[in-house]
mmCIF file of all heavy atoms in Angstrom:
data_model
loop_
_atom_site.group_PDB
_atom_site.id
_atom_site.type_symbol
_atom_site.label_atom_id
_atom_site.label_comp_id
_atom_site.label_asym_id
_atom_site.label_seq_id
_atom_site.Cartn_x
_atom_site.Cartn_y
_atom_site.Cartn_z
ATOM 1 N N GLU A 1 19.978 -2.408 -13.135
ATOM 2 C CA GLU A 1 20.331 -3.623 -12.406
ATOM 3 C C GLU A 1 19.761 -4.834 -13.138
ATOM 4 O O GLU A 1 18.760 -4.735 -13.847
ATOM 5 C CB GLU A 1 19.774 -3.564 -10.981
ATOM 6 C CG GLU A 1 20.256 -4.662 -10.058
ATOM 7 C CD GLU A 1 21.758 -4.708 -9.903
ATOM 8 O OE1 GLU A 1 22.296 -3.986 -9.041
ATOM 9 O OE2 GLU A 1 22.388 -5.462 -10.676
ATOM 10 N N SER A 2 20.417 -5.976 -12.961
ATOM 11 C CA SER A 2 19.981 -7.225 -13.590
ATOM 12 C C SER A 2 19.897 -8.328 -12.540
ATOM 13 O O SER A 2 20.670 -8.358 -11.582
ATOM 14 C CB SER A 2 20.967 -7.645 -14.686
ATOM 15 O OG SER A 2 21.056 -6.670 -15.702
ATOM 16 N N PHE A 3 18.944 -9.238 -12.757
ATOM 17 C CA PHE A 3 18.757 -10.393 -11.876
ATOM 18 C C PHE A 3 18.581 -11.637 -12.745
ATOM 19 O O PHE A 3 17.990 -11.561 -13.829
ATOM 20 C CB PHE A 3 17.523 -10.209 -10.982
ATOM 21 C CG PHE A 3 17.553 -8.962 -10.151
ATOM 22 C CD1 PHE A 3 17.052 -7.758 -10.652
ATOM 23 C CD2 PHE A 3 18.083 -8.975 -8.876
ATOM 24 C CE1 PHE A 3 17.075 -6.601 -9.893
ATOM 25 C CE2 PHE A 3 18.120 -7.821 -8.101
ATOM 26 C CZ PHE A 3 17.619 -6.639 -8.603
ATOM 27 N N HIS A 4 19.069 -12.760 -12.256
ATOM 28 C CA HIS A 4 18.982 -14.000 -13.034
ATOM 29 C C HIS A 4 18.632 -15.163 -12.122
ATOM 30 O O HIS A 4 18.918 -15.148 -10.915
ATOM 31 C CB HIS A 4 20.316 -14.280 -13.730
ATOM 32 C CG HIS A 4 20.789 -13.173 -14.611
ATOM 33 N ND1 HIS A 4 20.340 -12.986 -15.904
ATOM 34 C CD2 HIS A 4 21.648 -12.141 -14.364
ATOM 35 C CE1 HIS A 4 20.910 -11.918 -16.417
ATOM 36 N NE2 HIS A 4 21.712 -11.389 -15.506
ATOM 37 N N ALA A 5 17.997 -16.178 -12.714
ATOM 38 C CA ALA A 5 17.658 -17.384 -11.966
ATOM 39 C C ALA A 5 17.627 -18.567 -12.923
ATOM 40 O O ALA A 5 17.146 -18.444 -14.065
ATOM 41 C CB ALA A 5 16.297 -17.225 -11.284
ATOM 42 N N GLU A 6 18.160 -19.687 -12.473
ATOM 43 C CA GLU A 6 18.069 -20.905 -13.270
ATOM 44 C C GLU A 6 16.622 -21.361 -13.331
ATOM 45 O O GLU A 6 15.879 -21.229 -12.364
ATOM 46 C CB GLU A 6 18.927 -22.020 -12.658
ATOM 47 C CG GLU A 6 20.418 -21.777 -12.751
ATOM 48 C CD GLU A 6 21.227 -22.953 -12.240
ATOM 49 O OE1 GLU A 6 20.619 -24.021 -11.977
ATOM 50 O OE2 GLU A 6 22.450 -22.814 -12.109
ATOM 51 N N PHE A 7 16.232 -21.908 -14.475
ATOM 52 C CA PHE A 7 14.879 -22.435 -14.621
ATOM 53 C C PHE A 7 14.768 -23.711 -13.791
ATOM 54 O O PHE A 7 15.519 -24.662 -13.991
ATOM 55 C CB PHE A 7 14.586 -22.727 -16.093
ATOM 56 C CG PHE A 7 13.203 -23.271 -16.327
ATOM 57 C CD1 PHE A 7 12.112 -22.436 -16.325
ATOM 58 C CD2 PHE A 7 13.001 -24.631 -16.530
ATOM 59 C CE1 PHE A 7 10.831 -22.933 -16.534
ATOM 60 C CE2 PHE A 7 11.734 -25.143 -16.746
ATOM 61 C CZ PHE A 7 10.643 -24.288 -16.748
ATOM 62 N N CYS A 8 13.839 -23.730 -12.853
ATOM 63 C CA CYS A 8 13.727 -24.887 -11.967
ATOM 64 C C CYS A 8 12.269 -25.213 -11.681
ATOM 65 O O CYS A 8 11.895 -25.496 -10.545
ATOM 66 C CB CYS A 8 14.492 -24.657 -10.672
ATOM 67 S SG CYS A 8 13.993 -23.177 -9.773
ATOM 68 N N ALA A 9 11.431 -25.147 -12.703
ATOM 69 C CA ALA A 9 10.004 -25.384 -12.537
ATOM 70 C C ALA A 9 9.563 -26.574 -13.381
ATOM 71 O O ALA A 9 10.101 -26.813 -14.464
ATOM 72 C CB ALA A 9 9.215 -24.136 -12.939
ATOM 73 N N GLY A 10 8.585 -27.317 -12.879
ATOM 74 C CA GLY A 10 8.075 -28.461 -13.616
ATOM 75 C C GLY A 10 6.621 -28.336 -14.019
ATOM 76 O O GLY A 10 6.159 -29.024 -14.920
ATOM 77 N N THR A 11 5.891 -27.450 -13.337
ATOM 78 C CA THR A 11 4.478 -27.256 -13.625
ATOM 79 C C THR A 11 4.214 -25.807 -13.999
ATOM 80 O O THR A 11 5.052 -24.926 -13.784
ATOM 81 C CB THR A 11 3.621 -27.613 -12.400
ATOM 82 O OG1 THR A 11 3.864 -26.639 -11.356
ATOM 83 C CG2 THR A 11 3.942 -29.018 -11.888
ATOM 84 N N GLN A 12 3.026 -25.556 -14.534
ATOM 85 C CA GLN A 12 2.655 -24.193 -14.907
ATOM 86 C C GLN A 12 2.665 -23.270 -13.695
ATOM 87 O O GLN A 12 3.182 -22.145 -13.750
ATOM 88 C CB GLN A 12 1.277 -24.187 -15.568
ATOM 89 C CG GLN A 12 0.836 -22.823 -16.060
ATOM 90 C CD GLN A 12 -0.381 -22.894 -16.960
ATOM 91 O OE1 GLN A 12 -0.897 -23.972 -17.231
ATOM 92 N NE2 GLN A 12 -0.851 -21.759 -17.437
ATOM 93 N N ALA A 13 2.122 -23.747 -12.580
ATOM 94 C CA ALA A 13 2.081 -22.926 -11.370
ATOM 95 C C ALA A 13 3.495 -22.593 -10.896
ATOM 96 O O ALA A 13 3.757 -21.475 -10.430
ATOM 97 C CB ALA A 13 1.308 -23.649 -10.273
ATOM 98 N N GLU A 14 4.413 -23.545 -11.013
ATOM 99 C CA GLU A 14 5.788 -23.302 -10.583
ATOM 100 C C GLU A 14 6.493 -22.305 -11.495
ATOM 101 O O GLU A 14 7.273 -21.475 -11.033
ATOM 102 C CB GLU A 14 6.555 -24.623 -10.556
ATOM 103 C CG GLU A 14 6.133 -25.547 -9.415
ATOM 104 C CD GLU A 14 6.739 -26.935 -9.517
ATOM 105 O OE1 GLU A 14 7.271 -27.291 -10.592
ATOM 106 O OE2 GLU A 14 6.669 -27.679 -8.528
ATOM 107 N N VAL A 15 6.232 -22.374 -12.818
ATOM 108 C CA VAL A 15 6.819 -21.417 -13.763
ATOM 109 C C VAL A 15 6.369 -20.002 -13.427
ATOM 110 O O VAL A 15 7.181 -19.072 -13.303
ATOM 111 C CB VAL A 15 6.428 -21.765 -15.209
ATOM 112 C CG1 VAL A 15 6.857 -20.641 -16.165
ATOM 113 C CG2 VAL A 15 7.074 -23.078 -15.649
ATOM 114 N N ILE A 16 5.065 -19.833 -13.251
ATOM 115 C CA ILE A 16 4.532 -18.503 -12.961
ATOM 116 C C ILE A 16 5.015 -18.019 -11.596
ATOM 117 O O ILE A 16 5.370 -16.844 -11.419
ATOM 118 C CB ILE A 16 2.996 -18.512 -13.045
ATOM 119 C CG1 ILE A 16 2.562 -18.803 -14.493
ATOM 120 C CG2 ILE A 16 2.415 -17.183 -12.571
ATOM 121 C CD1 ILE A 16 1.070 -18.989 -14.666
ATOM 122 N N GLY A 17 5.070 -18.935 -10.629
ATOM 123 C CA GLY A 17 5.551 -18.567 -9.301
ATOM 124 C C GLY A 17 7.000 -18.120 -9.323
ATOM 125 O O GLY A 17 7.367 -17.127 -8.672
ATOM 126 N N GLN A 18 7.844 -18.813 -10.085
ATOM 127 C CA GLN A 18 9.249 -18.423 -10.180
ATOM 128 C C GLN A 18 9.375 -17.060 -10.845
ATOM 129 O O GLN A 18 10.188 -16.222 -10.425
ATOM 130 C CB GLN A 18 10.047 -19.464 -10.949
ATOM 131 C CG GLN A 18 11.540 -19.179 -10.948
ATOM 132 C CD GLN A 18 12.357 -20.254 -11.659
ATOM 133 O OE1 GLN A 18 11.814 -21.178 -12.259
ATOM 134 N NE2 GLN A 18 13.674 -20.124 -11.615
ATOM 135 N N ALA A 19 8.560 -16.814 -11.865
ATOM 136 C CA ALA A 19 8.588 -15.515 -12.555
ATOM 137 C C ALA A 19 8.161 -14.394 -11.610
ATOM 138 O O ALA A 19 8.770 -13.316 -11.587
ATOM 139 C CB ALA A 19 7.671 -15.559 -13.770
ATOM 140 N N GLU A 20 7.140 -14.638 -10.833
ATOM 141 C CA GLU A 20 6.667 -13.612 -9.896
ATOM 142 C C GLU A 20 7.715 -13.309 -8.829
ATOM 143 O O GLU A 20 7.894 -12.139 -8.446
ATOM 144 C CB GLU A 20 5.359 -14.077 -9.254
ATOM 145 C CG GLU A 20 4.174 -14.074 -10.207
ATOM 146 C CD GLU A 20 2.892 -14.564 -9.576
ATOM 147 O OE1 GLU A 20 2.971 -15.316 -8.580
ATOM 148 O OE2 GLU A 20 1.816 -14.210 -10.081
ATOM 149 N N ARG A 21 8.414 -14.318 -8.372
ATOM 150 C CA ARG A 21 9.440 -14.084 -7.343
ATOM 151 C C ARG A 21 10.596 -13.255 -7.887
ATOM 152 O O ARG A 21 11.136 -12.380 -7.193
ATOM 153 C CB ARG A 21 9.951 -15.422 -6.802
ATOM 154 C CG ARG A 21 8.946 -16.142 -5.915
ATOM 155 C CD ARG A 21 9.584 -17.308 -5.181
ATOM 156 N NE ARG A 21 10.034 -18.358 -6.080
ATOM 157 C CZ ARG A 21 9.259 -19.340 -6.544
ATOM 158 N NH1 ARG A 21 7.976 -19.393 -6.207
ATOM 159 N NH2 ARG A 21 9.759 -20.280 -7.323
ATOM 160 N N LEU A 22 10.989 -13.519 -9.139
ATOM 161 C CA LEU A 22 12.078 -12.740 -9.725
ATOM 162 C C LEU A 22 11.643 -11.291 -9.950
ATOM 163 O O LEU A 22 12.414 -10.351 -9.722
ATOM 164 C CB LEU A 22 12.541 -13.379 -11.039
ATOM 165 C CG LEU A 22 13.895 -12.902 -11.579
ATOM 166 C CD1 LEU A 22 15.006 -13.121 -10.563
ATOM 167 C CD2 LEU A 22 14.224 -13.609 -12.885
ATOM 168 N N CYS A 23 10.392 -11.105 -10.387
ATOM 169 C CA CYS A 23 9.858 -9.742 -10.527
ATOM 170 C C CYS A 23 9.848 -9.030 -9.180
ATOM 171 O O CYS A 23 10.179 -7.842 -9.086
ATOM 172 C CB CYS A 23 8.438 -9.790 -11.096
ATOM 173 S SG CYS A 23 8.349 -9.941 -12.872
ATOM 174 N N ARG A 24 9.472 -9.755 -8.142
ATOM 175 C CA ARG A 24 9.431 -9.141 -6.813
ATOM 176 C C ARG A 24 10.815 -8.694 -6.378
ATOM 177 O O ARG A 24 10.975 -7.623 -5.789
ATOM 178 C CB ARG A 24 8.843 -10.143 -5.817
ATOM 179 C CG ARG A 24 8.899 -9.738 -4.354
ATOM 180 C CD ARG A 24 8.413 -8.311 -4.098
ATOM 181 N NE ARG A 24 7.030 -8.118 -4.487
ATOM 182 C CZ ARG A 24 6.459 -6.919 -4.554
ATOM 183 N NH1 ARG A 24 7.162 -5.823 -4.307
ATOM 184 N NH2 ARG A 24 5.189 -6.819 -4.921
ATOM 185 N N ARG A 25 11.863 -9.479 -6.695
ATOM 186 C CA ARG A 25 13.234 -9.068 -6.368
ATOM 187 C C ARG A 25 13.570 -7.742 -7.047
ATOM 188 O O ARG A 25 14.159 -6.842 -6.438
ATOM 189 C CB ARG A 25 14.229 -10.129 -6.825
ATOM 190 C CG ARG A 25 14.336 -11.349 -5.947
ATOM 191 C CD ARG A 25 15.363 -12.325 -6.485
ATOM 192 N NE ARG A 25 16.697 -11.740 -6.543
ATOM 193 C CZ ARG A 25 17.729 -12.297 -7.198
ATOM 194 N NH1 ARG A 25 17.558 -13.435 -7.858
ATOM 195 N NH2 ARG A 25 18.920 -11.712 -7.193
ATOM 196 N N ALA A 26 13.193 -7.621 -8.324
ATOM 197 C CA ALA A 26 13.488 -6.394 -9.065
ATOM 198 C C ALA A 26 12.703 -5.214 -8.520
ATOM 199 O O ALA A 26 13.227 -4.098 -8.386
ATOM 200 C CB ALA A 26 13.175 -6.599 -10.544
ATOM 201 N N ILE A 27 11.441 -5.443 -8.178
ATOM 202 C CA ILE A 27 10.612 -4.363 -7.643
ATOM 203 C C ILE A 27 11.098 -3.942 -6.261
ATOM 204 O O ILE A 27 11.108 -2.748 -5.923
ATOM 205 C CB ILE A 27 9.132 -4.792 -7.624
ATOM 206 C CG1 ILE A 27 8.623 -4.899 -9.074
ATOM 207 C CG2 ILE A 27 8.283 -3.818 -6.825
ATOM 208 C CD1 ILE A 27 7.241 -5.494 -9.217
ATOM 209 N N ASP A 28 11.517 -4.910 -5.441
ATOM 210 C CA ASP A 28 12.095 -4.571 -4.137
ATOM 211 C C ASP A 28 13.349 -3.713 -4.300
ATOM 212 O O ASP A 28 13.576 -2.767 -3.530
ATOM 213 C CB ASP A 28 12.438 -5.848 -3.359
ATOM 214 C CG ASP A 28 11.205 -6.562 -2.834
ATOM 215 O OD1 ASP A 28 10.114 -5.959 -2.851
ATOM 216 O OD2 ASP A 28 11.328 -7.736 -2.425
ATOM 217 N N TYR A 29 14.155 -4.055 -5.313
ATOM 218 C CA TYR A 29 15.348 -3.237 -5.604
ATOM 219 C C TYR A 29 14.927 -1.801 -5.939
ATOM 220 O O TYR A 29 15.554 -0.839 -5.449
ATOM 221 C CB TYR A 29 16.131 -3.843 -6.767
ATOM 222 C CG TYR A 29 17.171 -2.913 -7.347
ATOM 223 C CD1 TYR A 29 18.437 -2.813 -6.782
ATOM 224 C CD2 TYR A 29 16.879 -2.129 -8.461
ATOM 225 C CE1 TYR A 29 19.387 -1.944 -7.300
ATOM 226 C CE2 TYR A 29 17.822 -1.261 -8.997
ATOM 227 C CZ TYR A 29 19.071 -1.168 -8.411
ATOM 228 O OH TYR A 29 19.996 -0.299 -8.935
ATOM 229 N N CYS A 30 13.906 -1.654 -6.761
ATOM 230 C CA CYS A 30 13.433 -0.316 -7.120
ATOM 231 C C CYS A 30 13.022 0.468 -5.872
ATOM 232 O O CYS A 30 13.362 1.649 -5.724
ATOM 233 C CB CYS A 30 12.255 -0.413 -8.095
ATOM 234 S SG CYS A 30 12.695 -0.999 -9.748
ATOM 235 N N GLU A 31 12.296 -0.193 -4.994
ATOM 236 C CA GLU A 31 11.845 0.485 -3.776
ATOM 237 C C GLU A 31 13.034 0.894 -2.908
ATOM 238 O O GLU A 31 13.054 1.985 -2.338
ATOM 239 C CB GLU A 31 10.901 -0.432 -3.002
ATOM 240 C CG GLU A 31 9.578 -0.667 -3.731
ATOM 241 C CD GLU A 31 8.678 -1.668 -3.035
ATOM 242 O OE1 GLU A 31 9.129 -2.281 -2.030
ATOM 243 O OE2 GLU A 31 7.533 -1.838 -3.477
ATOM 244 N N GLU A 32 14.040 0.019 -2.827
ATOM 245 C CA GLU A 32 15.238 0.341 -2.040
ATOM 246 C C GLU A 32 15.979 1.545 -2.617
ATOM 247 O O GLU A 32 16.588 2.325 -1.877
ATOM 248 C CB GLU A 32 16.173 -0.867 -2.008
ATOM 249 C CG GLU A 32 15.635 -2.048 -1.203
ATOM 250 C CD GLU A 32 16.416 -3.318 -1.473
ATOM 251 O OE1 GLU A 32 17.415 -3.249 -2.236
ATOM 252 O OE2 GLU A 32 16.042 -4.369 -0.935
ATOM 253 N N GLN A 33 15.932 1.699 -3.960
ATOM 254 C CA GLN A 33 16.636 2.792 -4.627
ATOM 255 C C GLN A 33 15.783 4.047 -4.758
ATOM 256 O O GLN A 33 16.215 5.040 -5.349
ATOM 257 C CB GLN A 33 17.090 2.336 -6.023
ATOM 258 C CG GLN A 33 18.042 1.153 -6.013
ATOM 259 C CD GLN A 33 19.339 1.458 -5.309
ATOM 260 O OE1 GLN A 33 19.953 2.504 -5.529
ATOM 261 N NE2 GLN A 33 19.785 0.541 -4.447
ATOM 262 N N GLY A 34 14.571 4.008 -4.238
ATOM 263 C CA GLY A 34 13.683 5.152 -4.345
ATOM 264 C C GLY A 34 13.096 5.339 -5.732
ATOM 265 O O GLY A 34 12.731 6.455 -6.118
ATOM 266 N N LEU A 35 12.983 4.254 -6.496
ATOM 267 C CA LEU A 35 12.456 4.307 -7.858
ATOM 268 C C LEU A 35 11.005 3.845 -7.892
ATOM 269 O O LEU A 35 10.664 2.801 -7.329
ATOM 270 C CB LEU A 35 13.268 3.398 -8.787
ATOM 271 C CG LEU A 35 14.709 3.794 -9.079
ATOM 272 C CD1 LEU A 35 15.454 2.635 -9.735
ATOM 273 C CD2 LEU A 35 14.737 5.026 -9.992
ATOM 274 N N GLY A 36 10.166 4.623 -8.557
ATOM 275 C CA GLY A 36 8.818 4.163 -8.819
ATOM 276 C C GLY A 36 8.820 3.208 -10.003
ATOM 277 O O GLY A 36 9.547 3.414 -10.966
ATOM 278 N N VAL A 37 8.024 2.141 -9.933
ATOM 279 C CA VAL A 37 7.935 1.191 -11.043
ATOM 280 C C VAL A 37 6.877 1.688 -12.024
ATOM 281 O O VAL A 37 5.687 1.718 -11.718
ATOM 282 C CB VAL A 37 7.585 -0.227 -10.537
ATOM 283 C CG1 VAL A 37 7.494 -1.194 -11.719
ATOM 284 C CG2 VAL A 37 8.647 -0.711 -9.555
ATOM 285 N N PHE A 38 7.342 2.095 -13.192
ATOM 286 C CA PHE A 38 6.472 2.699 -14.196
ATOM 287 C C PHE A 38 5.661 1.645 -14.940
ATOM 288 O O PHE A 38 4.486 1.848 -15.241
ATOM 289 C CB PHE A 38 7.329 3.499 -15.185
ATOM 290 C CG PHE A 38 6.536 4.300 -16.176
ATOM 291 C CD1 PHE A 38 5.924 5.483 -15.799
ATOM 292 C CD2 PHE A 38 6.398 3.874 -17.491
ATOM 293 C CE1 PHE A 38 5.194 6.229 -16.708
ATOM 294 C CE2 PHE A 38 5.671 4.608 -18.401
ATOM 295 C CZ PHE A 38 5.062 5.790 -18.018
ATOM 296 N N SER A 39 6.299 0.496 -15.253
ATOM 297 C CA SER A 39 5.631 -0.545 -16.035
ATOM 298 C C SER A 39 6.406 -1.838 -15.905
ATOM 299 O O SER A 39 7.539 -1.860 -15.416
ATOM 300 C CB SER A 39 5.522 -0.134 -17.509
ATOM 301 O OG SER A 39 6.809 0.142 -18.046
ATOM 302 N N LEU A 40 5.793 -2.924 -16.376
ATOM 303 C CA LEU A 40 6.403 -4.249 -16.338
ATOM 304 C C LEU A 40 6.260 -4.901 -17.709
ATOM 305 O O LEU A 40 5.164 -4.915 -18.278
ATOM 306 C CB LEU A 40 5.718 -5.112 -15.272
ATOM 307 C CG LEU A 40 6.050 -6.606 -15.227
ATOM 308 C CD1 LEU A 40 7.525 -6.820 -14.907
ATOM 309 C CD2 LEU A 40 5.172 -7.308 -14.180
ATOM 310 N N GLY A 41 7.362 -5.418 -18.246
ATOM 311 C CA GLY A 41 7.336 -6.103 -19.536
ATOM 312 C C GLY A 41 7.664 -7.569 -19.380
ATOM 313 O O GLY A 41 8.618 -7.930 -18.700
ATOM 314 N N LEU A 42 6.879 -8.434 -20.014
ATOM 315 C CA LEU A 42 7.087 -9.879 -19.970
ATOM 316 C C LEU A 42 7.445 -10.383 -21.360
ATOM 317 O O LEU A 42 6.685 -10.179 -22.314
ATOM 318 C CB LEU A 42 5.824 -10.598 -19.483
ATOM 319 C CG LEU A 42 5.269 -10.201 -18.112
ATOM 320 C CD1 LEU A 42 3.973 -10.951 -17.857
ATOM 321 C CD2 LEU A 42 6.284 -10.468 -17.017
ATOM 322 N N ALA A 43 8.600 -11.022 -21.482
ATOM 323 C CA ALA A 43 8.993 -11.701 -22.714
ATOM 324 C C ALA A 43 8.866 -13.199 -22.466
ATOM 325 O O ALA A 43 9.484 -13.713 -21.535
ATOM 326 C CB ALA A 43 10.426 -11.343 -23.096
ATOM 327 N N MET A 44 8.093 -13.895 -23.294
ATOM 328 C CA MET A 44 7.839 -15.312 -23.032
ATOM 329 C C MET A 44 8.202 -16.183 -24.215
ATOM 330 O O MET A 44 7.910 -15.842 -25.370
ATOM 331 C CB MET A 44 6.377 -15.558 -22.680
ATOM 332 C CG MET A 44 5.995 -15.129 -21.289
ATOM 333 S SD MET A 44 4.450 -15.898 -20.739
ATOM 334 C CE MET A 44 4.992 -17.588 -20.481
ATOM 335 N N GLN A 45 8.814 -17.303 -23.915
ATOM 336 C CA GLN A 45 9.059 -18.333 -24.919
ATOM 337 C C GLN A 45 7.746 -19.048 -25.218
ATOM 338 O O GLN A 45 6.810 -19.010 -24.429
ATOM 339 C CB GLN A 45 10.084 -19.331 -24.377
ATOM 340 C CG GLN A 45 10.588 -20.342 -25.389
ATOM 341 C CD GLN A 45 11.601 -21.288 -24.770
ATOM 342 O OE1 GLN A 45 11.616 -21.482 -23.566
ATOM 343 N NE2 GLN A 45 12.450 -21.864 -25.601
ATOM 344 N N GLY A 46 7.684 -19.696 -26.372
ATOM 345 C CA GLY A 46 6.491 -20.459 -26.715
ATOM 346 C C GLY A 46 5.568 -19.669 -27.609
ATOM 347 O O GLY A 46 6.007 -18.900 -28.465
#
């Protein structure tokens, strides 16, 4: 499954918060599908 979100952050806290919310959507999907989350990978610009 894939999830996407437009970048809509202006501060560091907002960037990290938006990233955490998108991760939570993916993890919630895993739980709904009966999937254990084995690991998390972060790819970052900069």
